[in-house]
Amino acid sequence: PQAMARHWIDQGARRLHLVDLNGAFAGKPQNEAAIKAILKEVGEEIPVQLGGGIRDLDTIERYLDGGLSYVIIGTAAVKNPGFLRDACTAFGGHIIVGLDAKDGKVATDGWSKLSGHEVVDLAKKFEDYGVEGVIYTDIGRDGMLSGVNIEATVKLAQALTVPVIASGGLSNIQNIEALCAVESDGVEGVICGRAIYTGDLDFAAAQKRADELNGGL
């Protein structure tokens, strides 16, 4: 994992997104050794964010002390909003909420359970708690390389004042261009996952194109 982290930094990554996938299902961290190795490799070069199995304040504190910049709270935010509020109070500026949804409804427990919560309603509540941003994943598209659900992402971003990061389905440079076109609506970035490993998306080229469209920022 640390070698892959170095690879993406060398390719021009501005932030690393990590998911403890085993942790998301287990409800507690499962890959801390690998995460520590990544953080050691990255140092202070770029911010690193992590989600998956984070269910208590002690875990958040441990990760932040270890060099993590942002902690992503997903399932726990939906099931235990008081925990999210406490996390925002204790670690302001470091908490991002991850909302995974299908057909506008929020899913939890590694996507295995669909709740009755509307994405926009929950996100507005969490914004009031003081989250730093929202990662919105369309789980009907994640890993499918079928294109980002831009319409739903924009709808959410327009309803919030905190930035939204798009996730799920990114497949090509055209998706990047389409997302750059809605940046002014509050879409801050997009998570590149499967597509940059399969080669469907050239990460360095995508970052270069995004910079061009955003005036070289």
Side-chain angles (χ1 to χ4, degrees):
Q2 63 265 42
M4 193 52 67
R6 173 52 52 195
H7 170 74
W8 295 122
I9 291 174
D10 291 346
Q11 290 287 305
R14 313 269 170 83
R15 188 187 294 196
L16 282 183
H17 175 76
L18 311 180
V19 179
D20 182 345
L21 203 52
N22 307 101
F25 284 99
K28 58 184 179 180
Q30 299 289 306
N31 287 287
E32 285 198 62
I35 291 158
K36 281 181 181 175
I38 289 170
L39 291 171
K40 185 178 179 184
E41 178 65 40
V42 174
E44 296 183 2
E45 288 183 65
I46 61 172
V48 180
Q49 62 191 40
L50 167 73
I54 298 167
R55 305 281 196 273
D56 59 70
L57 296 177
D58 288 344
T59 301
I60 295 174
E61 186 171 27
R62 189 166 72 248
Y63 275 136
L64 293 176
D65 285 348
L68 204 67
S69 298
Y70 302 102
V71 167
I72 302 160
I73 302 175
T75 293
V78 181
K79 290 185 160 183
N80 184 3
F83 164 60
L84 179 66
R85 184 193 276 125
D86 291 345
C88 290
T89 300
F91 308 106
H94 297 284
I95 306 298
I96 294 173
V97 71
L99 292 178
D100 305 330
K102 188 172 185 179
D103 301 325
K105 301 288 188 184
V106 175
T108 62
D109 299 278
W111 306 349
S112 62
K113 297 175 184 173
L114 209 58
S115 76
H117 296 291
E118 294 284 342
V119 172
V120 171
D121 293 342
L122 257 192
K124 284 174 125 173
K125 183 166 85 168
F126 295 160
E127 179 177 59
D128 290 341
Y129 291 175
V131 298
E132 193 68 9
V134 174
I135 295 174
Y136 175 68
T137 304
D138 184 323
I139 62 176
R141 300 188 184 216
D142 191 74
M144 298 292 106
L145 303 176
S146 58
V148 176
N149 188 337
I150 291 176
E151 183 183 356
T153 305
V154 168
K155 181 185 174 187
L156 179 61
Q158 287 175 336
L160 304 174
T161 55
V162 295
V164 171
I165 298 173
S167 172
L170 181 70
S171 54
N172 54 44
I173 200 87
Q174 285 76 31
N175 293 162
I176 299 292
E177 292 172 343
L179 285 162
C180 285
V182 296
E183 185 181 18
S184 60
D185 286 307
V187 181
E188 182 182 60
V190 61
I191 292 169
C192 308
R194 183 178 177 185
I196 54 175
Y197 290 97
T198 60
D200 287 87
L201 182 71
D202 180 321
F203 177 80
Q207 183 64 70
K208 183 170 183 283
R209 182 63 179 138
D211 288 342
E212 290 169 358
L213 292 170
N214 291 336
L217 296 175

